[in-house]
């Protein structure tokens, strides 16, 4: 077993990471012939002592699993240590929204975290590192990290809309009464928030346009779209906790997609840095339909069209992302 991959995970004592880490360590993602070194970051003891204590407990559990593919676990509260030589960085940790906190306050609090992480990644990560921002608001957190770590090419950065994509696939499959794998060509446009647009007009079910299989347009517009947009809130209302294992699964699916070519004729969803595609301003981190070459590179699918309904949803999520960018503009290096 000669291959070794270094994977950084931030917020590594949290619930999303608790689900994610054993699957990274087990060989599921990188295969049985690749050793994994996990470099796990939490907030310093001086800020929140229980975070590092919790992370040490997680590391003990990983050791107790005795995964053949897990070579080493590094536990740290220092970004430079966590990102040193990493091939993949999953930025899961983010500041939560507190009582009475305005969205702009949340953006600014997270900006301070992702400024430091972007700079540390640029200084310490391996040359071909692939970065996925999971911690919310992930699109704008990714923008902040990228702008503070621009020595890393923009095509190596991304934010997670794969959770939303999976939710959208599952909802269409359930309504149509088909297997999940029979739903293809789904897109999550825009922000990983309740303004996202789960595009059913370009989706297919068993190779046919989804709108020909599910002919109830009212359901698609007034039930399906809001259901996808508000799914996270609905889960919190049911279980009293956030959707941790489905979020972890979405992050892992994103990484798996980087490692395997997208099937011909299909695509998946990811938020990537725009070069102006579909009229989105350059530099904005926006959810697009993407294809993978299996070598770590995602390309935006060109030439899709949106109807009047879809365009209105696209414009709404773009507006929100531009407002978020404006809120943190003073923290974005040119």
């Amino acid at each position: 077993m000669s291959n070794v991959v270094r994977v950084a995970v931030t917020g590594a004592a949290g619930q999303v990471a608790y689900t994610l880490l054993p699957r990274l360590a087990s060989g599921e993602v990188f295969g049985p012939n690749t050793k994994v070194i996990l470099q796990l970051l939490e907030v310093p003891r001086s800020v929140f002592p229980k975070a590092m204590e919790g992370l040490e407990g997680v590391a003990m559990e990983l050791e107790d699993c005795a995964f053949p593919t897990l070579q080493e676990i590094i536990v740290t509260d220092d970004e430079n240590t966590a990102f040193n030589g990493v091939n993949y960085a999953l930025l899961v940790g983010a500041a939560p929204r507190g009582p009475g906190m305005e969205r702009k306050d949340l953006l600014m609090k997270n900006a301070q975290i992702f400024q430091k992480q972007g700079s540390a990644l640029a200084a310490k990560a391996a040359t071909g590192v692939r970065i996925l921002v999971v911690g919310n608001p992930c699109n704008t957190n990714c923008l902040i990290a990228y702008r503070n770590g621009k020595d890393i090419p923009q095509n190596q950065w991304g934010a997670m809309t794969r959770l939303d994509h999976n939710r959208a696939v599952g909802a269409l499959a359930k309504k149509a009464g088909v297997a999940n794998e029979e739903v293809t060509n789904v897109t999550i446009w825009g922000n990983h928030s309740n303004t996202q647009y789960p595009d059913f007009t370009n989706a297919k079910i068993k190779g046919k346009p989804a709108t020909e299989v599910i002919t109830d347009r009212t359901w698609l517009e007034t039930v399906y779209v809001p259901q996808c947009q508000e799914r996270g809130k609905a889960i919190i209302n049911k279980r009293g906790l956030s959707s941790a294992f489905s979020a972890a699964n979405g992050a892992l699916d994103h990484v798996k997609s980087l490692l395997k070519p997208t099937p011909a004729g299909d695509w998946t969803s990811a938020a990537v840095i725009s070069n102006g595609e579909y009229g989105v301003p350059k530099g904005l981190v926006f959810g697009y339909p993407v294809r993978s070459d299996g070598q770590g590179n995602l390309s935006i699918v060109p030439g899709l069209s949106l109807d009047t309904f879809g365009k209105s949803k696209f414009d709404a999520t773009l507006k929100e992302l531009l407002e978020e960018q404006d809120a943190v503009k003073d923290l974005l290096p040119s």
Side-chain angles (χ1 to χ4, degrees):
M1 194 180 289
S2 57
N3 295 330
V4 178
V5 63
R6 291 179 176 269
V7 183
V9 178
T10 73
Q15 285 300 303
V16 173
Y18 190 74
T19 301
L20 185 151
L21 289 171
R23 293 176 65 185
L24 283 171
S26 69
E28 174 189 337
V29 177
F30 300 104
N33 297 317
T34 298
K35 289 282 192 180
V36 177
I37 299 173
L38 292 175
Q39 302 184 190
L40 309 181
L41 179 69
E42 261 299 347
V43 296
R45 294 182 194 275
S46 59
V47 177
F48 186 55
K50 286 191 176 298
M52 283 300 295
E53 289 180 15
L55 181 54
E56 288 164 355
V58 171
M60 291 167 68
E61 285 202 76
L62 286 166
E63 291 171 350
D64 293 348
C65 290
F67 292 119
T69 47
L70 180 57
Q71 177 170 305
E72 185 181 359
I73 307 164
I74 297 169
V75 171
T76 183
D77 61 6
D78 176 69
E79 291 92 348
N80 291 308
T81 301
F83 298 143
N84 188 36
V86 295
N87 309 107
Y88 293 87
L90 306 183
L91 308 187
V92 178
R97 191 168 190 164
M101 185 182 288
E102 297 293 332
R103 187 170 180 84
K104 183 175 181 179
D105 297 330
L106 178 65
L107 287 164
M108 294 301 291
K109 190 172 182 179
N110 273 290
Q112 298 167 27
I113 296 169
F114 286 88
Q115 275 183 306
K116 289 179 66 179
Q117 292 186 358
S119 297
L121 280 162
K124 294 295 183 177
T127 301
V129 64
R130 292 312 192 262
I131 301 155
L132 175 65
V133 179
V134 177
N136 285 320
C138 65
N139 292 58
T140 298
N141 287 343
C142 180
L143 173 68
I144 294 162
Y146 162 64
R147 291 283 290 273
N148 284 275
K150 288 185 75 173
D151 287 345
I152 300 172
Q154 70 175 54
N155 66 339
Q156 294 173 212
W157 298 83
M160 188 176 74
T161 60
R162 187 58 173 269
L163 169 59
D164 309 300
H165 178 98
N166 289 346
R167 288 169 170 167
V169 167
L172 288 176
K174 184 177 180 180
K175 179 67 173 178
V178 303
N180 289 327
E181 62 267 25
E182 293 177 312
V183 178
T184 60
N185 304 94
V186 169
T187 305
I188 302 297
W189 297 98
N191 203 1
H192 175 62
S193 76
N194 62 5
T195 69
Q196 65 178 259
Y197 175 45
D199 179 8
F200 55 84
T201 61
N202 286 293
K204 294 180 180 179
I205 300 173
K206 288 189 168 183
K208 297 179 180 179
T211 51
E212 291 182 11
V213 178
I214 301 172
T215 57
D216 186 348
R217 177 79 186 211
T218 300
W219 179 86
L220 289 165
E221 291 187 6
T222 64
V223 177
Y224 168 72
V225 169
Q227 175 183 314
C228 295
Q229 292 173 329
E230 301 286 352
R231 187 69 164 182
K233 180 180 178 181
I235 290 169
I236 290 172
N237 290 342
K238 288 290 186 182
R239 67 185 297 262
L241 296 166
S242 64
S243 46
F245 79 76
S246 55
N249 184 71
L252 294 173
D253 280 350
H254 179 102
V255 177
K256 289 176 183 178
S257 289
L258 293 175
L259 298 168
K260 185 178 180 181
T262 306
D266 198 6
W267 58 75
T268 186
S269 302
V272 296
I273 299 168
S274 172
N275 280 313
E277 296 89 347
Y278 292 95
V280 175
K282 290 183 178 180
L284 201 67
V285 179
F286 194 85
Y288 283 109
V290 297
R291 292 193 179 102
S292 169
D293 65 0
Q295 303 297 316
N297 304 304
L298 298 175
S299 59
I300 295 170
V301 177
L304 301 186
S305 60
L306 296 172
D307 60 14
T308 301
F309 174 81
K311 189 65 167 64
S312 69
K313 296 299 182 184
F314 182 102
D315 290 344
T317 196
L318 175 57
K319 179 175 182 288
E320 181 181 58
L321 279 169
L322 289 171
E323 289 171 351
E324 289 186 12
Q325 178 181 246
D326 186 64
V328 299
K329 63 184 179 183
D330 293 338
L331 300 174
L332 299 176
S334 57

